[in-house]
Amino acid sequence: MSDNIVLCGVGGQGTILASKLLAASAMDRGLSVKTAETIGMSQRGGSVFSHVRIGDGATSPLIGRGRADLIIAFEPAEAARQLAFLRPGGTVIVSNRAIVPASALVGGPTYELEAIMAYLREQVEHLVVVDAEAAERELGSAKCLNVVLLGAAVRSGALQLTSEDVAHAIKKLVPERFQELNARALAWA
């Protein structure tokens, strides 16, 4: 069994940390892991995406179009951009919080959140929408949305990892002062 996972968002959302948590979780279970990431203009709010391949079937770190079992999207438009990677019947976990690009604020194409969400609902058979505002309000921080999304992915059944696997990786990779917050984020539903 192998998992092909695409994580996508914009710079500063914790996409890279989430991919590292998935990779560490899998390696701790003795599974083969391959990762690749594109961070480009992430420091300026640009697109960020990672490919994580878990299991013996992965020979390359990159996932081909139509081959991802799971997309974890920190931002709706980024989910739509990466949708070509999703295999038929795959799962998308997406935050409902839009991060409007600067181009839309200065006269470029407008950002139509409702249209993007409608498109995702139409195209994706297994779509889980995470209420980012509710998570932030209840957890007291927007900084742990990445772990909220990982928890939703685990609960969806689309991963061969458990909450305990991810919790163990959090203890290894996240500074101690943020571990309690991230443990609550992992369990948030």
Side-chain angles (χ1 to χ4, degrees), residues 91 93 128 130 147-159 185-186 188:
T91 300
I93 310 294
V128 176
V130 173
V147 177
V148 169
L149 291 169
L150 290 180
V154 167
R155 286 185 297 282
S156 77
L159 285 171
L186 184 62
W188 188 85

Side-chain angles (χ1 to χ4, degrees), residues 28-151:
D28 285 347
R29 289 195 48 203
L31 300 169
S32 172
V33 178
K34 302 220 181 339
T35 65
E37 51 199 40
T38 300
I39 52 177
M41 297 295 287
S42 66
Q43 295 82 1
R44 299 175 188 227
S47 294
V48 177
F49 65 89
S50 296
H51 290 201
V52 178
R53 302 190 73 198
I54 301 170
D56 293 331
T59 56
S60 161
L62 296 178
I63 299 167
R65 292 191 179 272
R67 305 288 303 219
D69 302 301
L70 173 64
I71 294 176
I72 301 174
F74 295 61
E75 201 284 329
E78 295 301 323
R81 274 192 196 97
Q82 300 297 321
L83 207 53
F85 285 101
L86 190 66
R87 70 166 172 76
T91 300
V92 174
I93 310 294
V94 62
S95 163
N96 67 350
R97 175 177 287 150
I99 297 182
V100 180
S103 61
L105 300 173
V106 293
T110 60
Y111 188 107
E112 302 285 341
L113 177 60
E114 291 308 316
I116 293 167
M117 294 305 292
Y119 173 75
L120 291 172
R121 285 184 183 96
E122 177 183 297
Q123 298 296 315
V124 180
E125 182 179 345
H126 304 287
L127 179 70
V128 176
V129 178
V130 173
D131 187 339
E133 283 187 29
E136 180 180 344
R137 186 174 51 254
E138 292 174 26
L139 295 167
S141 175
K143 295 282 189 188
C144 57
L145 178 62
N146 55 354
V147 177
V148 169
L149 291 169
L150 290 180

